[in-house]
Amino acid sequence: MITHSDIKLASFAWGIPLCILEMVILIGPNPFQSKETFPVAEFVPKKVEVVREVSKRGSDSFVLHLTPPDGGDRLSHTDPEESPVAALESRIPHGAPLRVIYAPLHRGNVILEITRVGDAGPPLLAFADVMEDHLNRRWKALLGAGLFFVVGNTIIYYKWKKSRDAHSVGDS
């Protein structure tokens, strides 16, 4: 017989992985999209700054903010380490026009690539590197969801088998 605790356990074993999958799909940019599908902005940044942010859980991250000259929505690039963000900030030429590919997400505009306008050299921040990072995060979340799903369903199976065996022993 299915009990209330079995239903709660099944909702956790199925619900939490489904929520993780939904968040992974909705939160970040799709790493399988081509560069051409994202919006592009060309401007001379009014302000370039690195800000240290501390989350509610106490973890630090460092964010590079580019502010367009019209004072519109800032574009940002986040990294858990300070040195890559500081190095990127030092490579950005002040007073020079930039071409920025970004993804408008719920948490703001996330920078996917930065290049100098008219410069054929390598990008300051490469699209492929940023998307590889997003893909790695997505894989880690999907593996976590899969692990949670397998462990939860294994627990449900053994609970069900134990209760079935208990009922069959009592029936004889």
Side-chain angles (χ1 to χ4, degrees):
M1 181 168 154
I2 298 176
T3 64
H4 183 66
S5 65
D6 293 338
I7 293 172
K8 275 201 306 192
L9 187 59
S11 66
F12 282 117
W14 285 70
I16 291 176
L18 287 174
C19 288
I20 291 171
L21 290 174
E22 183 178 313
M23 287 175 33
V24 164
I25 292 168
L26 295 177
I27 288 181
N30 182 355
F32 301 109
Q33 274 183 288
S34 69
K35 188 192 300 193
E36 292 76 26
T37 60
F38 292 101
V40 177
E42 288 186 8
F43 58 90
V44 176
K46 178 178 165 183
K47 190 175 185 182
V48 178
E49 66 180 334
V50 173
V51 178
R52 179 181 179 177
E53 293 183 353
V54 179
S55 74
K56 293 177 184 175
R57 293 178 284 177
S59 61
D60 292 350
S61 63
F62 297 89
V63 184
L64 171 76
H65 291 294
L66 297 178
T67 306
D70 62 2
D73 291 337
R74 289 187 306 188
L75 298 127
S76 60
H77 172 71
T78 306
D79 198 294
E81 299 292 325
E82 182 177 18
S83 57
V85 176
L88 177 60
E89 179 191 28
S90 69
R91 288 193 314 263
I92 294 176
H94 295 284
L98 299 176
R99 182 176 188 270
V100 181
I101 298 174
Y102 65 95
L105 301 173
H106 77 284
R107 64 178 188 243
N109 297 321
V110 176
I111 298 171
L112 303 176
E113 183 177 78
I114 302 173
T115 55
R116 292 180 204 93
V117 173
D119 187 6
L124 301 169
L125 180 65
F127 181 82
D129 295 340
V130 173
M131 289 313 237
E132 183 180 337
D133 185 43
H134 283 287
L135 182 63
N136 288 337
R137 289 182 196 164
R138 184 174 273 203
W139 275 113
K140 287 177 187 174
L142 293 175
L143 286 173
L147 180 66
F148 200 96
F149 182 79
V150 168
V151 169
N153 282 293
T154 302
I155 292 170
I156 289 170
Y157 172 75
Y158 282 112
K159 243 187 114 175
W160 169 79
K161 187 164 174 53
K162 184 178 176 182
S163 71
R164 191 183 70 147
D165 291 344
H167 286 309
S168 64
V169 169
D171 291 339
S172 41

